[in-house]
Amino acid sequence: MSKNKNILKHLAIIMDGNGRWAKERGLIRTKGHEKGAEVTREITRYCAKHPTIETVTFYAFSTENWKRPKYEVNFLMKLLDSWLRNELETYHKFGARFETVGNIEGFSPKLQETIAYIKKETAHHTNVTQILALNYGSREEIAKAASRLANRNEPITEESLGNELNTPYSDIDMMVRTSGEIRLSNFLLWQLSYSELFFTKTLWPDFTAKELEEMIEQYVNRERRFGGV
Ligand code: IPE
Ligand code: IPE
Ligand code: MG
């Protein structure tokens, strides 16, 4: 019996395990973030070439990650800035458009400038849209969207609230979390309602396009019922 295969348009990834990867090697945690950034590039390359993936959303910094030691937070901010600047060429090479979701007003003016610049320079690319979730928290996103609707005296419905979220209203087909943690950590709670979830013990710096490809092979054959029979 042949069955329709699922199409993967929007993939979301919780990149987790950078710190543990570094610790296992006797390195400081920030080395794991550096290696992790390279993996983000490789996965974006894969997504840009993939025939059906239109969007890949990576969780890079949560609203809760400010709780980390100052040294690590500062390192992550600097890494993001220098990485984005160096990455422009790669975005052009992959035909990848850069976007963000989250409260980037919480970042330094310099970093905000870099983010705006890379968005502008890559806006014309169509192979894939790479969204980095930066200073992102799903509860905050939902609460702010509801409050904007209420202030405008507009009805709060599934459709209006979905459209008001900062992440353009697009259901996520598939979500991957690395490092063996089985939780969402405040990531895209609304948009993940009917996603197919994948968890792997692989730490983010060790994750590969090959492992992703194997997950996608499972995804296309999963039965997505959306409440039907
Ligand atoms: C994910 O790796 C990257 C960020 C949250 C920025 P972690 O830094 O959370 O690594 P672990 O979970 O401590 O190993
Ligand atoms: C989630 O990872 C956030 C990102 C990957 C950016 P965390 O490492 O912060 O999540 P918890 O603390 O294990 O839930
Ligand atoms: Mg973690």
PDB file of all heavy atoms in Angstrom, residues 64-88:
ATOM      1  N   GLU A  64      16.224  32.776  28.913  1.00  0.00           N
ATOM      2  CA  GLU A  64      16.732  32.260  30.192  1.00  0.00           C
ATOM      3  C   GLU A  64      18.264  32.140  30.206  1.00  0.00           C
ATOM      4  O   GLU A  64      18.862  31.994  31.272  1.00  0.00           O
ATOM      5  CB  GLU A  64      16.122  30.872  30.493  1.00  0.00           C
ATOM      6  CG  GLU A  64      14.654  30.911  30.894  1.00  0.00           C
ATOM      7  CD  GLU A  64      13.712  31.206  29.733  1.00  0.00           C
ATOM      8  OE1 GLU A  64      13.998  30.761  28.599  1.00  0.00           O
ATOM      9  OE2 GLU A  64      12.701  31.900  29.943  1.00  0.00           O
ATOM     10  N   ASN A  65      18.886  32.199  29.024  1.00  0.00           N
ATOM     11  CA  ASN A  65      20.347  32.027  28.974  1.00  0.00           C
ATOM     12  C   ASN A  65      21.119  33.204  29.583  1.00  0.00           C
ATOM     13  O   ASN A  65      22.325  33.091  29.827  1.00  0.00           O
ATOM     14  CB  ASN A  65      20.827  31.764  27.545  1.00  0.00           C
ATOM     15  CG  ASN A  65      20.490  30.368  27.033  1.00  0.00           C
ATOM     16  OD1 ASN A  65      20.212  30.161  25.847  1.00  0.00           O
ATOM     17  ND2 ASN A  65      20.501  29.377  27.921  1.00  0.00           N
ATOM     18  N   TRP A  66      20.443  34.329  29.871  1.00  0.00           N
ATOM     19  CA  TRP A  66      21.102  35.438  30.578  1.00  0.00           C
ATOM     20  C   TRP A  66      21.538  35.026  31.977  1.00  0.00           C
ATOM     21  O   TRP A  66      22.350  35.696  32.595  1.00  0.00           O
ATOM     22  CB  TRP A  66      20.149  36.647  30.690  1.00  0.00           C
ATOM     23  CG  TRP A  66      19.775  37.244  29.376  1.00  0.00           C
ATOM     24  CD1 TRP A  66      18.558  37.140  28.750  1.00  0.00           C
ATOM     25  CD2 TRP A  66      20.582  38.059  28.508  1.00  0.00           C
ATOM     26  NE1 TRP A  66      18.562  37.825  27.556  1.00  0.00           N
ATOM     27  CE2 TRP A  66      19.790  38.406  27.387  1.00  0.00           C
ATOM     28  CE3 TRP A  66      21.905  38.530  28.568  1.00  0.00           C
ATOM     29  CZ2 TRP A  66      20.277  39.191  26.337  1.00  0.00           C
ATOM     30  CZ3 TRP A  66      22.382  39.320  27.515  1.00  0.00           C
ATOM     31  CH2 TRP A  66      21.569  39.634  26.418  1.00  0.00           C
ATOM     32  N   LYS A  67      20.956  33.930  32.479  1.00  0.00           N
ATOM     33  CA  LYS A  67      21.322  33.446  33.814  1.00  0.00           C
ATOM     34  C   LYS A  67      22.727  32.863  33.855  1.00  0.00           C
ATOM     35  O   LYS A  67      23.233  32.546  34.930  1.00  0.00           O
ATOM     36  CB  LYS A  67      20.376  32.300  34.232  1.00  0.00           C
ATOM     37  CG  LYS A  67      18.969  32.718  34.542  1.00  0.00           C
ATOM     38  CD  LYS A  67      18.204  31.464  34.994  1.00  0.00           C
ATOM     39  CE  LYS A  67      16.716  31.633  34.829  1.00  0.00           C
ATOM     40  NZ  LYS A  67      16.041  30.335  34.710  1.00  0.00           N
ATOM     41  N   ARG A  68      23.331  32.645  32.715  1.00  0.00           N
ATOM     42  CA  ARG A  68      24.672  32.028  32.692  1.00  0.00           C
ATOM     43  C   ARG A  68      25.726  33.012  33.199  1.00  0.00           C
ATOM     44  O   ARG A  68      25.492  34.208  33.214  1.00  0.00           O
ATOM     45  CB  ARG A  68      24.990  31.586  31.267  1.00  0.00           C
ATOM     46  CG  ARG A  68      24.038  30.489  30.832  1.00  0.00           C
ATOM     47  CD  ARG A  68      24.418  29.913  29.502  1.00  0.00           C
ATOM     48  NE  ARG A  68      23.496  28.819  29.203  1.00  0.00           N
ATOM     49  CZ  ARG A  68      23.753  27.818  28.393  1.00  0.00           C
ATOM     50  NH1 ARG A  68      24.908  27.760  27.771  1.00  0.00           N
ATOM     51  NH2 ARG A  68      22.846  26.877  28.191  1.00  0.00           N
ATOM     52  N   PRO A  69      26.908  32.486  33.558  1.00  0.00           N
ATOM     53  CA  PRO A  69      27.964  33.393  34.021  1.00  0.00           C
ATOM     54  C   PRO A  69      28.241  34.478  32.985  1.00  0.00           C
ATOM     55  O   PRO A  69      28.150  34.233  31.770  1.00  0.00           O
ATOM     56  CB  PRO A  69      29.180  32.471  34.163  1.00  0.00           C
ATOM     57  CG  PRO A  69      28.626  31.094  34.261  1.00  0.00           C
ATOM     58  CD  PRO A  69      27.324  31.085  33.543  1.00  0.00           C
ATOM     59  N   LYS A  70      28.554  35.652  33.503  1.00  0.00           N
ATOM     60  CA  LYS A  70      28.749  36.816  32.654  1.00  0.00           C
ATOM     61  C   LYS A  70      29.769  36.539  31.536  1.00  0.00           C
ATOM     62  O   LYS A  70      29.598  36.961  30.393  1.00  0.00           O
ATOM     63  CB  LYS A  70      29.235  37.978  33.526  1.00  0.00           C
ATOM     64  CG  LYS A  70      28.758  39.288  33.003  1.00  0.00           C
ATOM     65  CD  LYS A  70      29.057  40.417  33.962  1.00  0.00           C
ATOM     66  CE  LYS A  70      28.828  41.650  33.129  1.00  0.00           C
ATOM     67  NZ  LYS A  70      29.148  42.875  33.432  1.00  0.00           N
ATOM     68  N   TYR A  71      30.816  35.824  31.900  1.00  0.00           N
ATOM     69  CA  TYR A  71      31.865  35.533  30.931  1.00  0.00           C
ATOM     70  C   TYR A  71      31.301  34.785  29.726  1.00  0.00           C
ATOM     71  O   TYR A  71      31.593  35.102  28.561  1.00  0.00           O
ATOM     72  CB  TYR A  71      32.978  34.708  31.609  1.00  0.00           C
ATOM     73  CG  TYR A  71      33.926  34.086  30.623  1.00  0.00           C
ATOM     74  CD1 TYR A  71      34.916  34.866  30.026  1.00  0.00           C
ATOM     75  CD2 TYR A  71      33.805  32.747  30.256  1.00  0.00           C
ATOM     76  CE1 TYR A  71      35.783  34.320  29.097  1.00  0.00           C
ATOM     77  CE2 TYR A  71      34.663  32.192  29.321  1.00  0.00           C
ATOM     78  CZ  TYR A  71      35.651  32.977  28.743  1.00  0.00           C
ATOM     79  OH  TYR A  71      36.486  32.432  27.817  1.00  0.00           O
ATOM     80  N   GLU A  72      30.458  33.796  30.025  1.00  0.00           N
ATOM     81  CA  GLU A  72      29.910  32.993  28.922  1.00  0.00           C
ATOM     82  C   GLU A  72      28.928  33.814  28.070  1.00  0.00           C
ATOM     83  O   GLU A  72      28.946  33.739  26.842  1.00  0.00           O
ATOM     84  CB  GLU A  72      29.229  31.728  29.465  1.00  0.00           C
ATOM     85  CG  GLU A  72      28.706  30.837  28.346  1.00  0.00           C
ATOM     86  CD  GLU A  72      28.254  29.456  28.797  1.00  0.00           C
ATOM     87  OE1 GLU A  72      28.627  29.021  29.908  1.00  0.00           O
ATOM     88  OE2 GLU A  72      27.529  28.811  28.016  1.00  0.00           O
ATOM     89  N   VAL A  73      28.090  34.624  28.751  1.00  0.00           N
ATOM     90  CA  VAL A  73      27.132  35.451  28.009  1.00  0.00           C
ATOM     91  C   VAL A  73      27.888  36.417  27.095  1.00  0.00           C
ATOM     92  O   VAL A  73      27.585  36.538  25.899  1.00  0.00           O
ATOM     93  CB  VAL A  73      26.194  36.218  28.975  1.00  0.00           C
ATOM     94  CG1 VAL A  73      25.354  37.241  28.222  1.00  0.00           C
ATOM     95  CG2 VAL A  73      25.285  35.237  29.726  1.00  0.00           C
ATOM     96  N   ASN A  74      28.912  37.075  27.649  1.00  0.00           N
ATOM     97  CA  ASN A  74      29.700  38.016  26.834  1.00  0.00           C
ATOM     98  C   ASN A  74      30.348  37.311  25.651  1.00  0.00           C
ATOM     99  O   ASN A  74      30.369  37.829  24.535  1.00  0.00           O
ATOM    100  CB  ASN A  74      30.805  38.675  27.680  1.00  0.00           C
ATOM    101  CG  ASN A  74      30.230  39.685  28.644  1.00  0.00           C
ATOM    102  OD1 ASN A  74      29.080  40.111  28.499  1.00  0.00           O
ATOM    103  ND2 ASN A  74      31.009  40.057  29.650  1.00  0.00           N
ATOM    104  N   PHE A  75      30.857  36.125  25.907  1.00  0.00           N
ATOM    105  CA  PHE A  75      31.500  35.370  24.834  1.00  0.00           C
ATOM    106  C   PHE A  75      30.489  35.073  23.728  1.00  0.00           C
ATOM    107  O   PHE A  75      30.772  35.235  22.539  1.00  0.00           O
ATOM    108  CB  PHE A  75      32.089  34.058  25.374  1.00  0.00           C
ATOM    109  CG  PHE A  75      32.748  33.244  24.301  1.00  0.00           C
ATOM    110  CD1 PHE A  75      34.090  33.431  23.998  1.00  0.00           C
ATOM    111  CD2 PHE A  75      32.018  32.319  23.560  1.00  0.00           C
ATOM    112  CE1 PHE A  75      34.690  32.705  22.977  1.00  0.00           C
ATOM    113  CE2 PHE A  75      32.619  31.589  22.536  1.00  0.00           C
ATOM    114  CZ  PHE A  75      33.962  31.784  22.247  1.00  0.00           C
ATOM    115  N   LEU A  76      29.293  34.651  24.130  1.00  0.00           N
ATOM    116  CA  LEU A  76      28.272  34.296  23.127  1.00  0.00           C
ATOM    117  C   LEU A  76      27.889  35.514  22.281  1.00  0.00           C
ATOM    118  O   LEU A  76      27.691  35.405  21.068  1.00  0.00           O
ATOM    119  CB  LEU A  76      27.032  33.706  23.811  1.00  0.00           C
ATOM    120  CG  LEU A  76      27.205  32.266  24.313  1.00  0.00           C
ATOM    121  CD1 LEU A  76      26.047  31.865  25.228  1.00  0.00           C
ATOM    122  CD2 LEU A  76      27.289  31.291  23.131  1.00  0.00           C
ATOM    123  N   MET A  77      27.793  36.679  22.915  1.00  0.00           N
ATOM    124  CA  MET A  77      27.444  37.903  22.183  1.00  0.00           C
ATOM    125  C   MET A  77      28.532  38.247  21.171  1.00  0.00           C
ATOM    126  O   MET A  77      28.258  38.589  20.029  1.00  0.00           O
ATOM    127  CB  MET A  77      27.256  39.089  23.153  1.00  0.00           C
ATOM    128  CG  MET A  77      26.116  38.908  24.125  1.00  0.00           C
ATOM    129  SD  MET A  77      24.543  38.721  23.261  1.00  0.00           S
ATOM    130  CE  MET A  77      23.788  37.431  24.224  1.00  0.00           C
ATOM    131  N   LYS A  78      29.802  38.141  21.625  1.00  0.00           N
ATOM    132  CA  LYS A  78      30.922  38.453  20.723  1.00  0.00           C
ATOM    133  C   LYS A  78      31.000  37.444  19.588  1.00  0.00           C
ATOM    134  O   LYS A  78      31.238  37.799  18.437  1.00  0.00           O
ATOM    135  CB  LYS A  78      32.246  38.423  21.501  1.00  0.00           C
ATOM    136  CG  LYS A  78      32.506  39.681  22.258  1.00  0.00           C
ATOM    137  CD  LYS A  78      34.035  39.960  22.342  1.00  0.00           C
ATOM    138  CE  LYS A  78      34.310  41.052  23.350  1.00  0.00           C
ATOM    139  NZ  LYS A  78      34.649  40.515  24.693  1.00  0.00           N
ATOM    140  N   LEU A  79      30.801  36.183  19.941  1.00  0.00           N
ATOM    141  CA  LEU A  79      30.859  35.129  18.925  1.00  0.00           C
ATOM    142  C   LEU A  79      29.790  35.379  17.864  1.00  0.00           C
ATOM    143  O   LEU A  79      30.046  35.269  16.669  1.00  0.00           O
ATOM    144  CB  LEU A  79      30.641  33.759  19.578  1.00  0.00           C
ATOM    145  CG  LEU A  79      30.578  32.556  18.635  1.00  0.00           C
ATOM    146  CD1 LEU A  79      31.925  32.314  17.951  1.00  0.00           C
ATOM    147  CD2 LEU A  79      30.164  31.277  19.374  1.00  0.00           C
ATOM    148  N   LEU A  80      28.604  35.735  18.312  1.00  0.00           N
ATOM    149  CA  LEU A  80      27.506  35.965  17.378  1.00  0.00           C
ATOM    150  C   LEU A  80      27.863  37.083  16.406  1.00  0.00           C
ATOM    151  O   LEU A  80      27.660  36.971  15.197  1.00  0.00           O
ATOM    152  CB  LEU A  80      26.245  36.310  18.184  1.00  0.00           C
ATOM    153  CG  LEU A  80      24.954  36.416  17.406  1.00  0.00           C
ATOM    154  CD1 LEU A  80      24.633  35.102  16.714  1.00  0.00           C
ATOM    155  CD2 LEU A  80      23.811  36.790  18.358  1.00  0.00           C
ATOM    156  N   ASP A  81      28.413  38.156  16.950  1.00  0.00           N
ATOM    157  CA  ASP A  81      28.763  39.306  16.125  1.00  0.00           C
ATOM    158  C   ASP A  81      29.833  38.931  15.084  1.00  0.00           C
ATOM    159  O   ASP A  81      29.637  39.139  13.880  1.00  0.00           O
ATOM    160  CB  ASP A  81      29.242  40.458  17.018  1.00  0.00           C
ATOM    161  CG  ASP A  81      29.212  41.782  16.298  1.00  0.00           C
ATOM    162  OD1 ASP A  81      29.869  41.889  15.252  1.00  0.00           O
ATOM    163  OD2 ASP A  81      28.515  42.699  16.754  1.00  0.00           O
ATOM    164  N   SER A  82      30.938  38.340  15.559  1.00  0.00           N
ATOM    165  CA  SER A  82      32.019  38.048  14.607  1.00  0.00           C
ATOM    166  C   SER A  82      31.586  36.940  13.655  1.00  0.00           C
ATOM    167  O   SER A  82      31.916  36.952  12.470  1.00  0.00           O
ATOM    168  CB  SER A  82      33.299  37.678  15.340  1.00  0.00           C
ATOM    169  OG  SER A  82      33.088  36.525  16.116  1.00  0.00           O
ATOM    170  N   TRP A  83      30.826  35.992  14.159  1.00  0.00           N
ATOM    171  CA  TRP A  83      30.385  34.884  13.301  1.00  0.00           C
ATOM    172  C   TRP A  83      29.512  35.408  12.165  1.00  0.00           C
ATOM    173  O   TRP A  83      29.713  35.068  11.001  1.00  0.00           O
ATOM    174  CB  TRP A  83      29.623  33.849  14.134  1.00  0.00           C
ATOM    175  CG  TRP A  83      29.348  32.596  13.377  1.00  0.00           C
ATOM    176  CD1 TRP A  83      30.252  31.637  13.016  1.00  0.00           C
ATOM    177  CD2 TRP A  83      28.092  32.153  12.870  1.00  0.00           C
ATOM    178  NE1 TRP A  83      29.629  30.635  12.324  1.00  0.00           N
ATOM    179  CE2 TRP A  83      28.308  30.921  12.220  1.00  0.00           C
ATOM    180  CE3 TRP A  83      26.794  32.680  12.905  1.00  0.00           C
ATOM    181  CZ2 TRP A  83      27.288  30.209  11.607  1.00  0.00           C
ATOM    182  CZ3 TRP A  83      25.781  31.965  12.294  1.00  0.00           C
ATOM    183  CH2 TRP A  83      26.023  30.744  11.654  1.00  0.00           C
ATOM    184  N   LEU A  84      28.557  36.266  12.508  1.00  0.00           N
ATOM    185  CA  LEU A  84      27.656  36.792  11.478  1.00  0.00           C
ATOM    186  C   LEU A  84      28.430  37.564  10.416  1.00  0.00           C
ATOM    187  O   LEU A  84      28.175  37.415   9.222  1.00  0.00           O
ATOM    188  CB  LEU A  84      26.597  37.695  12.102  1.00  0.00           C
ATOM    189  CG  LEU A  84      25.414  36.985  12.763  1.00  0.00           C
ATOM    190  CD1 LEU A  84      24.505  38.004  13.445  1.00  0.00           C
ATOM    191  CD2 LEU A  84      24.607  36.174  11.736  1.00  0.00           C
ATOM    192  N   ARG A  85      29.360  38.377  10.858  1.00  0.00           N
ATOM    193  CA  ARG A  85      30.147  39.157   9.892  1.00  0.00           C
ATOM    194  C   ARG A  85      30.936  38.249   8.950  1.00  0.00           C
ATOM    195  O   ARG A  85      30.964  38.467   7.741  1.00  0.00           O
ATOM    196  CB  ARG A  85      31.102  40.112  10.611  1.00  0.00           C
ATOM    197  CG  ARG A  85      30.379  41.302  11.182  1.00  0.00           C
ATOM    198  CD  ARG A  85      31.267  42.133  12.079  1.00  0.00           C
ATOM    199  NE  ARG A  85      30.478  43.183  12.712  1.00  0.00           N
ATOM    200  CZ  ARG A  85      30.130  44.299  12.098  1.00  0.00           C
ATOM    201  NH1 ARG A  85      30.534  44.554  10.872  1.00  0.00           N
ATOM    202  NH2 ARG A  85      29.377  45.200  12.722  1.00  0.00           N
ATOM    203  N   ASN A  86      31.559  37.235   9.527  1.00  0.00           N
ATOM    204  CA  ASN A  86      32.329  36.302   8.684  1.00  0.00           C
ATOM    205  C   ASN A  86      31.423  35.443   7.817  1.00  0.00           C
ATOM    206  O   ASN A  86      31.855  34.918   6.795  1.00  0.00           O
ATOM    207  CB  ASN A  86      33.160  35.360   9.560  1.00  0.00           C
ATOM    208  CG  ASN A  86      34.336  36.075  10.169  1.00  0.00           C
ATOM    209  OD1 ASN A  86      34.897  36.981   9.559  1.00  0.00           O
ATOM    210  ND2 ASN A  86      34.673  35.692  11.389  1.00  0.00           N
ATOM    211  N   GLU A  87      30.205  35.294   8.253  1.00  0.00           N
ATOM    212  CA  GLU A  87      29.312  34.347   7.608  1.00  0.00           C
ATOM    213  C   GLU A  87      28.656  34.917   6.343  1.00  0.00           C
ATOM    214  O   GLU A  87      28.103  34.163   5.549  1.00  0.00           O
ATOM    215  CB  GLU A  87      28.221  33.937   8.617  1.00  0.00           C
ATOM    216  CG  GLU A  87      27.620  32.571   8.428  1.00  0.00           C
ATOM    217  CD  GLU A  87      28.639  31.435   8.513  1.00  0.00           C
ATOM    218  OE1 GLU A  87      29.803  31.667   8.866  1.00  0.00           O
ATOM    219  OE2 GLU A  87      28.254  30.310   8.187  1.00  0.00           O
ATOM    220  N   LEU A  88      28.735  36.222   6.158  1.00  0.00           N
ATOM    221  CA  LEU A  88      28.032  36.834   5.030  1.00  0.00           C
ATOM    222  C   LEU A  88      28.356  36.144   3.702  1.00  0.00           C
ATOM    223  O   LEU A  88      27.465  35.828   2.916  1.00  0.00           O
ATOM    224  CB  LEU A  88      28.346  38.339   4.964  1.00  0.00           C
ATOM    225  CG  LEU A  88      27.591  39.124   3.885  1.00  0.00           C
ATOM    226  CD1 LEU A  88      26.083  38.962   4.038  1.00  0.00           C
ATOM    227  CD2 LEU A  88      27.960  40.599   3.941  1.00  0.00           C
TER     228      LEU A  88
END
